[in-house]
Amino acid sequence: MPLVEETSLLEDSSVTFPVVIIGNGPSGICLSYMLSGYRPYLSSEAIHPNTILNSKLEEARHLSIVDQDLEYLSEGLEGRSSNPVAVLFDTLLHPDADFGYDYPSVLHWKLEQHHYIPHVVLGKGPPGGAWHNMEGSMLTISFGSWMELPGLKFKDWVSSKRRNLKGDRVMPEEIARYYKHYVKVMGLQKNFRENTYITSVSRLYRDQDDDDDSQDRDISTKHLQIEKSNFIKRNWEIRGYQRIADGSHVPFCLFAENVALATGTLDSPAHLEIEGEDFPFVFHSMPEFGAAINKGKLRGKVDPVLIVGSGLTAADAILCAYNSNIPVIHVFRRRVTDPSLIFKQLPKKLYPEYHKVYHMMCTQSYSVDSNLLSDYTSFPEHHVLSFKSDMKCVLQSVSGLKKIFKLSAAVVLIGSHPNLSFLKDQGCYLGHKSSQPITCKGNPVEIDTYTYECIKEANLFALGPLVGDNFVRFLKGGALGVTRCLATRQKKKHLFVERGGGDGIA
């Protein structure tokens, strides 16, 4: 829906939102759901298998989780996220999931419209974010139930299409459709704007009392429920453009009291930063590689494809090449016995295809005696030194030994960086290591672990992969933390106003 049709956002530079969410993937969707007034309560007959947590929940059964002390509830919990609220919310939604149990959620949801916090969600494409662009031939790493968002069970949504989803993994395009449907069925569409591209987010240092109140026109109360208020502080200016149907770009400017970054980290594939990496035979994403295979560009090639990386995306590329009878050279820096390899964390029974790749990594490694194998050869503890114009690559082992191979293509899959070009210093200053780019694993945004507010920037929040939560299971905790923080501040603001304090400036 074009901004220009839905509101006067593009015509009125005085529009101020309490919250602007940048990114419309599962993080942004879940945050919009909770800011819209949906509140989680302990179900009437629910008993959490963690007896200590259960007793804490019983103490305040009458309160929603948003209104409780998240630090107290999170204390002592362990899980596969470094963010305690993410672990808490995950264990409430999927109790003991990491032990293989499929217990139902102990929560039920109520829509309490008086808790609505006006907001807008800005995204480049349809709701679902990067899920709409993922390679369609691969299964998700997580179960369908782990990909679902609060209030709509994934298995219920697909029940008419699939006979049995229990313990099943699904295709990314199914997840993308589910997220898009979720926004519609939960009544969140009024908060979402598609085809929007952010060019700058900058902090303002002026108070709203500097503005003439007559400038705050009552824009889009029908669609966005924005109420005229002089209690919203203009902390941020958001500039960008919206691409409309005829392909043209219409600029816009918004103001916000709070900004939530929910962009994910798939925008910019990481590069090796070596000689020859920009040659056309070097790819940096699965969609690029998949498209080359589907178009037959690699059909009948006798030279191998070089795949660089030791994560699941690299494994997907190996499977894609292997199933297309394309020989593979697989290069990665780690030892095959490295305990941090993702394959070590995946049960064999649930992820047989990835363990097939790991088995090949261990048993089909390169040796001077055997040379390259016909289908797959691994090069542990190696890195690529350079690519040459004649489609050759130079590899170097940890001992310094160099090898040269002729390739049909190369695929570099060593992670990705978020595109935070709209922030000062590309957002680097927000990370734990302020001199380095933000990455999911190596340098996530530094946040207060209970509110998800950036340590180095007040009224700026970050959630999802930006703070290290790469799995949908855990990014939902970010929405809980942000909502709890904003709801608490809103209560304090209203109490301040009701008591007649101040001059009406938040």
Side-chain angles (χ1 to χ4, degrees), residues 308-321:
V308 184
S310 58
L312 296 178
T313 308
D316 284 339
I318 291 165
L319 291 167
C320 190

Side-chain angles (χ1 to χ4, degrees), residues 329-348:
I329 292 176
H330 183 199
V331 173
F332 48 98
R333 290 178 176 269
R334 299 182 187 181
R335 302 186 311 275
V336 292
T337 55
D338 190 324
S340 65
L341 283 173
I342 185 64
F343 307 100
K344 299 273 192 179
Q345 304 170 35
L346 302 178
K348 290 183 180 180

